[in-house]
Amino acid sequence: MNIDQKVWEVLFSEKDIADRLSELGKQISNDYKDKNLYVISLLRGSFVFTADLVRKIDIPVKIDFITTSSYEHGIETTGRVKIINDIKEDLTGYHVLIADDITDSGLTMKYVIEHLKAKNPTSIKSCVLLDKPEGRQIEITPDYIGFTIPDKFVVGYGLNYGDYYRNLPYIFAVTDKDR
Ligand code: IMP
Ligand code: MG
């Protein structure tokens, strides 16, 4: 669809995001004080979020990345998520914090949690920049949430629209003009 037929509305500015990440970073640093923290970030959507978040964490932290993808028109919901590139390390002794850009249906987070459990971490929690609770297909609540948003398609700050716009420093909602 032509971009001109869409309405672009800024939801969160660079400053909104930076302010919220400072708070989240402080909270995480406090909660994981004296714990072996391992942030595992889900590519590609959360590369911007993760890079900014970890710089607001002031305790020692290891960081690695998993590449996930979801089948847009999957027949079975549970089989929708795929891990394209996994971490190599065993997670014994680590407190894992999964970082993702957005939780919508919840299927990605659920799948990755189950996947990482097999690597034997001491604990697993999740941290998402955006939470879209109206999109849920399964019951799951992220442990740390940047912002809760309505059921809109959002773009920017790592989130893509037709594989573009990940580099925008703010977050937009994109809707059809006649909606
Ligand atoms: P899930 O539906 O919770 O499994 O989310 C799967 C993935 O879909 C997220 O990690 C995002 O990469 C992507 N996604 C979900 N909602 C949006 C959106 O509004 N804009 C861009 N990507 C989205
Ligand atoms: Mg994603």
Side-chain angles (χ1 to χ4, degrees):
M1 172 138 351
N2 191 311
I3 202 83
D4 292 330
Q5 292 166 291
K6 303 282 183 185
V7 177
W8 293 60
E9 165 204 2
V10 176
L11 287 189
F12 304 107
S13 69
E14 271 188 89
K15 181 164 189 321
D16 294 336
I17 299 167
D19 289 350
R20 185 68 187 117
L21 292 201
S22 294
E23 292 173 359
L24 278 179
K26 229 179 255 169
Q27 199 184 339
I28 291 164
S29 303
N30 194 48
D31 294 352
Y32 287 89
K33 202 172 28 183
D34 307 320
K35 286 179 178 164
N36 264 342
L37 174 61
Y38 206 142
V39 168
I40 296 184
S41 168
L42 308 189
L43 295 175
R44 290 173 284 175
S46 65
F47 79 105
V48 179
F49 169 50
T50 303
D52 284 346
L53 177 70
V54 294
R55 283 180 288 176
K56 298 295 178 191
I57 293 176
D58 63 5
I59 57 169
V61 55
K62 286 179 75 164
I63 303 153
D64 207 344
F65 300 87
I66 283 179
T67 307
T68 57
S69 86
S70 51
Y71 298 103
E72 288 293 307
H73 306 287
I75 305 155
E76 274 186 43
T77 48
T78 46
R80 226 190 60 172
V81 185
K82 196 175 158 192
I83 290 179
I84 294 169
N85 196 17
D86 198 2
I87 56 164
K88 312 283 178 285
E89 214 174 330
D90 182 77
L91 294 171
T92 303
Y94 289 102
H95 291 267
V96 167
L97 185 63
I98 303 166
D100 203 7
D101 50 358
I102 183 166
T103 293
D104 181 16
S105 70
L107 295 172
T108 300
M109 191 54 81
K110 174 104 193 331
Y111 187 89
V112 172
I113 288 171
E114 293 309 317
H115 173 78
L116 291 179
K117 268 185 189 166
K119 298 180 189 291
N120 200 34
T122 308
S123 72
I124 304 186
K125 286 193 173 180
S126 55
C127 177
V128 299
L129 177 63
L130 303 172
D131 186 25
K132 229 193 295 191
E134 288 166 44
R136 279 307 187 281
Q137 291 178 28
I138 51 152
E139 224 184 283
I140 190 165
T141 307
D143 298 287
Y144 298 90
I145 295 168
F147 303 100
T148 300
I149 60 166
D151 195 10
K152 290 185 172 183
F153 192 78
V154 287
V155 178
Y157 200 76
L159 294 137
N160 79 105
Y161 177 60
D163 274 336
Y164 283 90
Y165 307 109
R166 292 188 195 273
N167 57 313
L168 296 179
Y170 27 64
I171 295 170
F172 278 99
V174 184
T175 44
D176 289 335
K177 248 181 190 157
D178 52 7
R179 267 186 67 183

